[in-house]
Amino acid sequence: MKNTGTRVWQLDPDRPDPEIISRAAEIIKKGGLVAFPTETVYGLGANGLDGEAVAGIYRAKGRPSDNPLILHVADLDMANRLSRNLPPQAPLLMEKFWPGPLTLVVPKAGGIPQQVTGGLDTVAVRMPGHPVALALIKAAGVPIAAPSANRSGRPSPTTADHVLADLEGRVDAILDGGSAGLGLESTVLDLTGPCPIILRPGGVTYEQLAGVLKEVAIDRSVLGEKLSKEQVPRSPGMKYIHYAPAAPVILFEGEPEKVRQALSRRAAELSARGKRVGILATEETAAGYAGGAKILTMGRRKNPADAAALLFGRLRQFDQLQVDVILAEGMETRGIGLAVMNRLRRAASEIVKC
């Protein structure tokens, strides 16, 4: 792939080269954009206290300006400075789940650019659990604003190659630390109301949060309810089409055998019309699909962590296979399965209840 100005630096994900980290940090300090690995997906970072630098993220991604960003921090002191009034549950959650895939929405402190918050009076903060991400934030000395490092609406990137495919020539540098581990973005938890609310499910599950907090709720948008054009999203992933490959996705939900039957019928109908069909299936059912469809698996149904790690990469593979339509199996919404289904529902143009 011809490079058009984006530098790609390869790093040991466990022992990142301090010299390369220093170069990337200088780009951040000067208002540039650096893509970097986290334990969830790759992020597209800018100085979170520089409004013009943050605006560059929106331009590079083609991201709607009312879609708020997450500020990534390297330590608790940096996190505490970003909120004017830290909610009482925050210290416990930070101790239990940081560094890690949990983002906390808290009242924002002064000095945070509106480009970060989407005009809201709150700010989303997390401490990533990846050595490269932490080293970059520490070297830059500022919180780094970073959504996923992809074109807006596309599947989030889990490798540096995914980032380059979407953002080549649009960002200054990419830190290549190998594949992201979890494969889905962080859980976003709103602490600004009387009851903590999950705005986006992710690597920290509802069950884990319920084991720590007295009560926790799930926002209706997580389960598929769409926000109106007038509503301002309180978190990334709430309002706009996300995670979608080039081909439309049709999601089938229900009992596994009913899903397999309904999906098979739709695949046969589409193939008969000359459509190139892709099927995203679990390992338990993949062998049951006949015909000429391109079948990719996302692990075992009983282990939704497999699907979480593979989902975005599989959607991008279907782009490479140039299918006309993707038929995807749903799964149960327990544990991280809730996050997998949230992403599939956001990517889908049609949902079939079986």
Side-chain angles (χ1 to χ4, degrees):
M1 181 180 293
K2 183 181 178 181
N3 196 289
T4 55
T6 297
R7 288 162 282 184
V8 180
W9 290 316
Q10 293 188 331
L11 289 166
D12 182 328
D14 298 314
R15 295 186 179 86
D17 186 327
E19 183 178 344
I20 293 176
I21 291 294
S22 179
R23 292 179 195 168
E26 283 301 312
I27 293 173
I28 295 291
K29 292 176 185 178
K30 293 177 180 178
L33 301 180
V34 176
F36 60 95
T38 77
E39 80 282 18
T40 59
V41 299
Y42 272 70
L44 177 58
N47 181 349
L49 302 182
D50 180 340
E52 181 52 38
V54 174
I57 293 176
Y58 289 90
R59 290 193 295 270
K61 285 176 61 72
R63 183 183 178 94
S65 61
D66 66 343
N67 202 4
L69 303 178
I70 295 170
L71 288 181
H72 294 68
V73 300
D75 54 50
L76 294 180
D77 287 341
M78 188 179 286
N80 290 335
R81 291 196 296 271
L82 296 176
S83 177
R84 67 178 184 276
N85 183 23
L86 205 63
Q89 308 99 325
L92 174 63
L93 292 165
M94 291 173 177
E95 179 182 357
K96 180 71 174 178
F97 297 111
W98 280 11
L102 178 64
T103 294
L104 302 177
V105 176
V106 297
K108 73 173 183 178
I112 298 175
Q114 65 87 22
Q115 290 94 335
V116 170
T117 64
L120 299 172
D121 197 33
T122 58
V123 64
V125 184
R126 95 171 180 102
M127 185 190 299
H130 195 290
V132 173
L134 290 172
L136 178 63
I137 301 165
K138 289 176 183 176
V142 293
I144 292 182
S148 55
N150 56 291
R151 295 294 294 272
S152 187
R154 295 271 296 142
S156 297
T158 55
T159 69
D161 284 344
H162 294 164
V163 180
L164 196 61
D166 276 10
L167 298 177
E168 181 183 14
R170 292 172 172 263
V171 302
D172 297 293
I174 300 171
L175 297 179
D176 183 353
S179 296
L182 182 62
L184 295 180
E185 300 87 350
S186 63
T187 300
V188 179
L189 185 68
D190 186 352
L191 296 180
T192 61
C195 173
I197 300 176
I198 296 174
L199 302 180
R200 182 182 72 186
V204 174
T205 67
Y206 167 83
E207 291 83 357
Q208 288 176 301
L209 292 170
V212 174
L213 300 171
K214 291 182 179 179
E215 59 178 338
V216 60
I218 300 174
D219 193 88
R220 288 182 297 180
S221 68
V222 167
L223 302 175
E225 183 174 310
K226 297 185 184 300
L227 299 185
S228 69
K229 292 182 179 180
E230 294 74 27
Q231 287 178 285
V232 177
R234 291 173 288 155
S235 161
M238 289 188 71
K239 183 175 182 180
Y240 298 97
I241 294 174
H242 280 71
Y243 322 118
V249 176
I250 303 174
L251 176 62
F252 293 76
E253 299 183 11
E255 296 178 9
E257 180 56 24
K258 291 182 179 179
V259 163
R260 189 193 66 78
Q261 292 174 4
L263 196 155
S264 293
R265 288 194 297 270
R266 182 68 71 90
E269 293 169 3
L270 291 167
S271 294
R273 288 159 45 193
K275 300 292 185 181
R276 293 168 297 194
V277 178
I279 296 177
L280 184 61
T282 53
E283 290 181 7
E284 290 90 340
T285 54
Y289 294 113
K294 302 291 185 180
I295 301 172
L296 297 177
T297 63
M298 52 179 176
R300 298 184 62 80
R301 184 176 298 275
K302 293 183 179 179
N303 187 11
D306 289 346
L310 293 170
L311 177 60
F312 290 142
R314 292 292 191 253
L315 293 178
R316 286 177 176 269
Q317 279 184 264
F318 280 124
D319 283 350
Q320 296 171 355
L321 292 171
Q322 297 183 323
V323 299
D324 297 313
V325 62
I326 300 166
L327 309 182
E329 294 180 353
M331 60 175 50
E332 292 185 4
T333 56
R334 290 182 295 180
I336 201 168
L338 177 63
V340 174
M341 286 302 293
N342 170 261
R343 304 314 192 267
L344 280 170
R345 286 166 177 163
R346 289 286 174 191
S349 59
E350 179 185 346
I351 297 177
V352 178
K353 302 290 187 179
C354 302

